[in-house]
Amino acid sequence: MKFLYSGPVFEMARQQFDVIADHLGIAEDERDRLLLPKRAIVVSCPIHMDDGRTRVFAGYRVQHHLTLGPAKGGTRFAANVDIGEIAALAVWMSWKCALAELPYGGAKGGVTVDPRTLSVRELENLSRRYMQEMIPFVGPRVDVMAPDMGTNEQVMAWFMDTYSMYQGVTVPEIVTGKPVGTGGTLGRREATGHGVAFLAFRAMEALAIDPVGATAIVQGFGNVGMHAVLGLAARGVKIVGVSDHTAAYWDPKGIVARDLVNHVTRVGALSGFSTEAAIDAQTLLEQPCDVLAPCAVERVIDADVARRLRCRILAEGANGPTTPEADKVLAERNDGVFVIPDILCNAGGVIVSYFEWVQDLQQYFWSRDEVMDRLERALDRSWTMVIARAKRDGVANRTAAMAIGVERVMKAKQARGLFP
Ligand code: GLU
């Protein structure tokens, strides 16, 4: 089993888990049961391409556990997706959902494809084919998908429609992150980025940093990064750096958030936004700022980068941006970078996904204010617990957050027995 889930990202999830297992004193023979996924599904997705050829794409879904309810997590379309990475992301979803007290296990899915190389029609074919292949393994009480990197509301609408046509009735509760108007909830699109900004403000409060005039650098300008930028700027934080896969910009005078959004809406990426402010993407991470928010991919902050970071708060909008080696460096640095760990920092997305699922099941929809108010209360509750636990146990915020998540899953497994 262990050998199926290989690669640097799963290795990272395992190393993090070992730290927690030691910290909590989990018995050796309980560890594999907690860490290794309950099941993994690998499918071939043949589709017709626009030029008449047929191509087959590899699709994955890993369901880490179903002990607390259905498995829950996004589906990623990216060129380098493999089973080890998807398994790691599923494991992280479990700790994230448990920390937020959501009645879910973790899951993650993916297709090995760069969606930017597909036409809209090819993307629809692939999305529908992937869900078609997954129908025997998912369900509103089994596994509920959502967007992740490379997928969006439209892809969720195709997933929902494909599943629904098979059932013969509309089943909006099969996926979350759908367009509002087809069973989606108000507030889901901005939920993750809003949560990143909200928690960054909590951290600023704790460190007595005034948001007005404070500075932030955001890596990644997808759905998460964009709304983190907007959320930070809305309360007076100066955005001094941004980057995506096409460009990186640094301007100590500040970059107008709306201009960035308008450019990306028009062009599709940050490239071409400015000529004067261009900077090397890696160097950007090491510029001085109050908040650094990595909102892109895993493992961008390794030990070397961690040594050179000049931020006061590291707000992890991405999943797994910081390696365990970097965690060690950060723990040893005596100038104290305050880390808001991923499973807390980016939990806004899955929290509002949970609200969407609840609304779909009840067919009763809430106002945006109600969604945002409940989101902020949920994040506040998790924040308070993590900070208190870190203080009580004298451990890093990541250890505290993961310990709460792992402990909840472990207790549920102990109470239920070996099967779920
Ligand atoms: N893909 C997002 C995450 O990593 C959201 C998952 C969800 O909403 O289920 O947290």
Side-chain angles (χ1 to χ4, degrees):
M1 277 292 269
K2 268 182 184 159
F3 303 113
L4 177 62
Y5 306 112
S6 58
V9 189
F10 193 77
E11 204 39 46
M12 179 176 153
R14 203 181 55 72
Q15 279 177 32
Q16 288 177 340
F17 176 76
D18 286 344
V19 171
I20 302 306
D22 290 343
H23 173 65
L24 294 176
I26 299 176
E28 283 298 330
D29 66 340
E30 282 223 45
R31 294 187 182 197
D32 277 1
R33 180 183 169 216
L34 270 167
L35 176 67
L36 294 175
K38 178 178 179 65
R39 59 194 175 209
I41 299 114
V42 182
V43 295
S44 300
C45 302
I47 63 161
H48 292 303
M49 304 298 283
D50 290 348
D51 63 6
R53 283 180 308 143
T54 299
R55 270 185 69 187
V56 181
F57 295 90
Y60 308 97
R61 186 79 184 163
V62 175
Q63 297 166 353
H64 180 229
H65 74 82
L66 289 110
T67 311
L68 289 159
K72 183 84 192 80
T75 298
R76 172 173 292 203
F77 285 5
N80 55 355
V81 154
D82 64 32
I83 190 81
E85 180 190 20
I86 295 297
L89 290 159
V91 169
W92 290 329
M93 282 307 301
S94 284
W95 315 146
K96 191 189 305 187
C97 291
L99 173 63
E101 297 186 290
L102 306 180
Y104 293 137
K108 197 70 130 205
V111 175
T112 312
V113 61
D114 177 353
R116 290 180 294 255
T117 62
L118 302 179
S119 69
V120 174
R121 196 162 68 182
E122 290 166 342
L123 182 63
E124 175 170 356
N125 290 347
L126 184 56
S127 304
R128 289 186 180 280
R129 184 66 197 233
Y130 174 78
M131 175 49 99
Q132 177 70 46
E133 295 303 330
M134 289 296 163
I135 285 175
F137 311 104
V138 297
R141 301 257 174 206
V142 180
D143 184 357
V144 180
M145 294 184 189
D148 197 82
M149 272 173 54
T151 58
N152 56 22
E153 292 172 14
Q154 178 59 71
V155 172
M156 296 307 114
W158 289 324
F159 282 177
M160 185 272 265
D161 183 68
T162 304
Y163 185 86
S164 295
M165 289 305 97
Y166 176 82
Q167 301 293 328
V169 289
T170 299
V171 189
E173 61 272 25
I174 185 61
V175 296
T176 60
K178 300 177 295 297
V180 175
T182 43
T185 182
L186 295 165
R188 175 63 184 87
R189 187 184 295 172
E190 59 270 43
T192 315
H194 181 87
V196 172
F198 178 83
L199 291 169
F201 292 130
R202 278 281 173 278
M204 284 188 222
E205 230 169 65
L207 302 181
I209 299 172
D210 185 355
V212 178
T215 55
I217 295 173
V218 178
Q219 181 199 41
F221 211 76
N223 187 47
V224 180
M226 180 193 292
H227 286 101
V229 163
L230 289 172
L232 288 164
R235 280 188 51 191
V237 174
K238 191 155 74 162
I239 307 301
V240 293
V242 282
S243 69
D244 71 0
H245 62 285
T246 65
Y249 301 109
W250 160 251
D251 186 349
K253 293 193 297 297
I255 306 171
V256 180
R258 269 285 148 207
D259 292 351
L260 290 166
V261 175
N262 291 343
H263 178 85
V264 169
T265 312
R266 208 160 26 87
V267 179
L270 282 177
S271 168
F273 175 73
S274 151
T275 43
E276 305 95 70
I279 186 174
D280 170 66
Q282 196 62 31
T283 317
L284 177 66
L285 298 177
E286 297 159 9
Q287 300 308 304
C289 61
D290 293 301
V291 181
L292 173 65
C295 297
V297 292
E298 303 95 58
R299 298 165 50 75
V300 289
I301 298 170
D302 59 16
D304 278 347
V305 178
R307 269 181 219 109
R308 292 198 293 267
L309 285 184
R310 282 188 284 168
C311 61
R312 298 179 65 189
I313 297 164
L314 181 64
E316 296 183 341
N319 291 310
T322 309
T323 66
E325 296 75 30
D327 274 336
K328 282 193 198 118
V329 172
L330 292 176
E332 280 158 16
R333 273 178 60 156
N334 46 18
D335 55 352
V337 174
F338 187 97
V339 178
I340 314 174
D342 53 1
I343 61 167
L344 169 65
C345 195
N346 68 35
V350 73
I351 290 170
V352 176
S353 274
Y354 167 63
F355 297 158
E356 181 173 333
W357 182 69
V358 167
Q359 291 171 76
D360 286 339
L361 287 168
Q362 299 186 342
Q363 288 294 294
Y364 179 72
F365 290 88
W366 312 347
S367 69
R368 187 177 183 281
D369 283 352
E370 192 164 357
V371 172
M372 295 321 255
D373 180 55
R374 283 177 191 256
L375 167 63
E376 293 188 356
R377 274 190 283 144
L379 288 173
D380 240 344
R381 198 172 54 224
S382 298
W383 163 267
T384 307
M385 266 178 324
V386 169
I387 299 306
R389 178 81 174 233
K391 200 166 164 202
R392 189 196 81 184
D393 294 357
V395 293
N397 291 343
R398 186 183 322 284
T399 308
M402 285 187 56
I404 297 169
V406 170
E407 209 167 54
R408 286 198 177 131
V409 177
M410 182 176 69
K411 283 191 178 146
K413 281 189 182 287
Q414 283 168 346
R416 288 193 57 175
L418 275 186
F419 284 98

